[in-house]
Amino acid sequence: MRNISKIKHAKFSLQNGLCFYCRQPMWRRNHERFAEQYAISLNQARYFQATAEHLVARSDGGLDVAENIVAACWYCNNHRHRAKQALSPDRYARKVVARLRRGKWHGFLAQSTPFHQSS
Ligand SMILES: [Zn+2]
């Protein structure tokens, strides 16, 4: 197993399986069971795959070390790096939480009660 994958699994456990940014549950192996558990579609479940997120991107010199890697859902990970200039982890986390509160992140979750919004 690659080091980065080991770190991701360790962080997943440390974070109780919740995304570093949006604090929603994630899955590692079985997205079908996840979809069933939360009554969402398989396509929706794909957004919640646990990924290794580099706080400082590799392209900016970020290393594959535990201090620089957190577990984040696919959706948050992708959206952060889609921006021309990625926000810092702190600013991005605040943006995600603010949008989540307004129902503008993982939009379909508003109707899916098992998902909670932690404050
Ligand atoms: Zn997330």
Side-chain angles (χ1 to χ4, degrees), residues 19-24 72-73 75-76 96 105-106:
C19 170
F20 180 78
Y21 294 119
C22 68
R23 307 284 169 197
Q24 301 302 320
C73 73
Y75 190 86
C76 287
V96 168
W105 200 255
H106 293 307

Side-chain angles (χ1 to χ4, degrees), residues 24-112:
Q24 301 302 320
M26 301 182 290
W27 57 272
R28 285 185 287 192
R29 286 182 195 90
N30 192 335
H31 77 295
E32 287 170 15
R33 197 168 62 197
F34 185 89
E36 203 171 292
Q37 186 181 353
Y38 292 105
I40 58 178
S41 75
L42 291 179
N43 273 337
Q44 289 167 340
R46 286 180 210 284
Y47 290 135
F48 297 96
Q49 180 173 19
T51 62
E53 154 77 347
H54 286 73
L55 296 175
V56 178
R58 268 183 287 203
S59 55
D60 293 328
L63 301 175
D64 290 345
V65 294
E67 293 73 27
N68 192 41
I69 291 173
V70 294
C73 73
W74 181 93
Y75 190 86
C76 287
N77 193 340
N78 266 268
H79 278 75
R80 179 168 174 231
H81 297 292
R82 199 174 283 178
K84 279 195 195 92
Q85 184 88 54
L87 293 175
S88 71
D90 284 355
R91 286 187 59 195
Y92 186 67
R94 281 201 295 273
K95 175 184 150 177
V96 168
V97 168
R99 293 190 117 193
L100 202 55
R101 288 215 178 100
R102 295 200 310 267
K104 298 223 156 100
W105 200 255
H106 293 307
F108 56 89
L109 292 181
Q111 293 89 43
S112 190

